[in-house]
Amino acid sequence: MDKVYVVYWSQTGNTETMAQAVGKGAEAAGKEASVVAVSDITADVLKDLPGFALGCPAMGAEELDDSEMDPFVTEVEAFTKGKTIALFGSYGWGDGEWMRTWTERMQNAGATVVDGEGVIANEAPDEEALSKCEELGKKLAAL
């Protein structure tokens, strides 16, 4: 895999910052990173890849953004079997339930989630969260 796709939806910029860190990790591992907002890509682009990253903050009652990201994830579910997916996102309340639900959703669709869980950050990502995001990028680059 020469290019690592990092697809995200961000409202405040926190998840976008995390997406950039995933891309930075992929590039540090020698791959090209394509960090792209979900509104600027179609799910078909990911269909033939062995893996990719998806990022979305917690919205509403700890759920994915239902305007763009959830419909995109629904499309992706149709072809995730056997793929490796890195998940990440930020939240401002709750305890990360949206990420546990999202991880389970992807695993139930047949995907392997990197490290068995997503990387989450409360509000703006700190250095630890950004470092974990870079590691996600490196792991995807190794596919």
Side-chain angles (χ1 to χ4, degrees), residues 57-122:
M59 301 297 293
E62 286 212 65
E63 52 198 32
L64 297 176
D65 160 68
D66 62 2
S67 66
E68 293 181 87
M69 196 64 177
D70 190 58
F72 185 85
V73 170
T74 297
E75 286 184 57
V76 167
E77 279 179 291
F79 59 78
T80 58
K81 187 173 184 177
K83 296 192 183 300
T84 300
I85 301 175
L87 301 175
F88 62 92
S90 62
Y91 66 103
W93 60 91
D95 68 353
E97 179 184 350
W98 104 102
M99 186 57 72
R100 291 189 301 274
T101 301
W102 193 11
T103 297
E104 185 177 318
R105 180 177 173 184
M106 294 294 91
Q107 290 170 332
N108 287 341
T112 298
V113 175
V114 174
D115 295 332
E117 63 185 0
V119 173
I120 62 175
N122 189 298

Side-chain angles (χ1 to χ4, degrees), residues 44-63:
D44 286 343
V45 172
L46 307 177
K47 202 172 211 171
D48 296 324
L49 301 175
F52 44 86
L54 300 174
C56 185
M59 301 297 293
E62 286 212 65
E63 52 198 32

